[in-house]
Amino acid sequence: MAVRLVRRMGDPVLLQVALPVERFGTPELQGLVEDLFDTMASLQGAGLAAPQIGVSCRVLVFGVEANPRYPGAEAVPTTVLVNPELEVLGSEEAEGWEGCLSVPGLRGLVPRHTHIRYRGYDVQGTPIVREARDFHARVFQHEFDHLNGILYPARIRDLSAFGFEDVLFPGQTSVD
Ligand code: NI
């Protein structure tokens, strides 16, 4: 399919609550998911949500292979979720550095639940239920926020832990 333009912070589509998908298995939905993966791969992202390519519907993708460019980050299964839901398990939170393809060049320290369950559907409408912890749980929560019009800077508690990646982490390479 195609690499699409990633909308950047300030674009109103990133602040909208996205609409649920009503029909599964359509060429439109399949094409959207392919575009999300193509766009994510072209920018070496860990995840991408449909509003980030200007489509205000509840679809997200993510996936991280064990990769030296993500120091310390465990692999996350390649996943498509349509109409996802989040269930928090336990009360533990942890802070971790996040970036976002819609907020290029910046990093911030963001609190997230460390143990969750998520549910959703694949493109064909088959249910998916998974428990996730730590980095996997963080990636889901970041992408899920995009469906509700929330960008990670809104979750940063201490804005002294928000800045440009090359200033915060000189000499390191990583991805959004
Ligand atoms: Ni993002």
Side-chain angles (χ1 to χ4, degrees):
M1 293 297 284
V3 172
R4 306 265 293 260
L5 178 72
V6 174
R7 306 300 182 93
R8 290 180 302 152
M9 186 167 61
D11 189 316
V13 74
L14 295 171
L15 300 175
Q16 291 174 10
V17 176
L19 293 172
V21 170
E22 294 185 350
R23 295 177 61 214
F24 292 91
T26 62
E28 290 77 12
L29 183 56
Q30 184 66 44
L32 172 62
V33 167
E34 288 176 17
D35 285 358
L36 285 169
F37 276 119
D38 288 349
T39 305
M40 181 175 87
S42 78
L43 297 167
Q44 295 174 288
L48 197 63
Q52 293 182 274
I53 59 169
V55 179
S56 190
C57 69
R58 303 186 78 78
V59 179
L60 59 83
V61 303
F62 56 79
V64 181
E65 291 177 21
N67 184 328
R69 290 173 64 89
Y70 294 90
E74 62 262 46
V76 176
T78 298
T79 301
V80 179
L81 288 167
V82 179
N83 298 345
E85 293 172 42
L86 166 64
E87 179 186 353
V88 175
L89 301 174
S91 57
E92 192 187 325
E93 291 185 351
E95 296 213 309
W97 290 97
E98 295 188 14
C100 180
L101 295 174
S102 295
V103 192
L106 292 161
R107 288 286 181 278
L109 202 53
V110 181
R112 299 287 186 188
H113 303 290
T114 59
H115 188 196
I116 64 169
R117 180 180 293 124
Y118 60 77
R119 302 165 195 278
Y121 300 89
D122 70 11
V123 169
Q124 300 303 325
T126 305
I128 297 164
V129 183
R130 239 185 239 149
E131 223 176 287
R133 292 177 186 270
D134 303 319
F135 185 60
H136 182 180
R138 176 175 299 280
V139 169
F140 173 85
Q141 288 169 86
H142 177 113
E143 299 310 327
F144 184 71
D145 267 354
H146 278 297
L147 305 185
N148 293 323
I150 299 167
L151 297 170
Y152 82 82
R155 294 209 181 269
I156 296 172
R157 289 182 180 146
D158 173 3
L159 284 168
S160 69
F162 182 43
F164 288 96
E165 179 188 14
D166 59 337
V167 179
L168 286 164
F169 307 109
Q172 273 189 31
T173 53
S174 70
V175 297
D176 290 287

